[in-house]
Amino acid sequence: QLQLVESGGGLVQPGGSLRLSCAASGFTLDYYALGWFRQAPGKEREGVLCISSSDSSTSYVDSVKGRFTISRDNAKNTVYLQMNSLKTEDTAVYYCAAKTGRCYSDYERWGYWGQGTQVTVSS
């Protein structure tokens, strides 16, 4: 059974950092594009960052550029989202996703999803 499991979410003060992890089981991530998406209350799910199978990353949200970084460790079958200088507007449920082929910001093009992890940025 193909599964993605996120971890690392929580409550953090503005300006703080968190690292989200997403571990895969049932398949190897080597040949998949991997993405992080987020969904805030009342808003549509949006693509945040994507990393291709060749380790090329793409950011889909201008506000996270320079603050968030996506990386992958194929040996651990895990993808990470390092989030620094967090802002209150980063509060959302964060999801990891995997797909064959190239990266897309459109969440409907992604076939495999984790269950999500809550990130709350608040003082």
Side-chain angles (χ1 to χ4, degrees):
Q1 183 179 358
L2 308 182
Q3 197 171 17
L4 296 169
V5 178
E6 301 100 335
S7 61
L11 173 64
V12 63
Q13 293 186 338
S17 297
L18 280 175
R19 188 175 82 154
L20 306 184
S21 300
C22 174
S25 61
F27 66 116
T28 56
L29 296 178
D30 300 38
Y31 304 107
Y32 286 79
L34 305 171
W36 284 97
F37 292 74
R38 66 185 182 185
Q39 188 165 17
K43 294 188 177 181
E44 192 170 83
R45 190 171 300 188
E46 66 173 354
V48 179
L49 281 162
C50 177
I51 186 166
S52 71
S53 58
S54 59
D55 267 357
S56 174
S57 63
T58 304
S59 175
Y60 297 119
V61 180
D62 286 343
S63 65
V64 308
K65 289 179 181 178
R67 299 190 298 122
F68 289 14
T69 304
I70 188 170
S71 61
R72 63 193 297 159
D73 186 336
N74 289 342
K76 295 183 178 180
N77 224 25
T78 300
V79 59
Y80 303 98
L81 181 65
Q82 178 67 45
M83 304 185 292
N84 299 326
S85 302
L86 281 160
K87 305 176 180 180
T88 55
E89 52 263 42
D90 295 319
T91 295
V93 178
Y94 282 74
Y95 299 89
C96 69
K99 67 180 298 295
T100 57
R102 54 169 287 192
C103 287
Y104 280 102
S105 61
D106 183 356
Y107 69 89
E108 293 183 343
R109 290 181 175 268
W110 293 74
Y112 304 104
W113 290 90
Q115 82 287 352
T117 186
Q118 177 70 47
V119 172
T120 302
V121 185
S122 174
S123 55

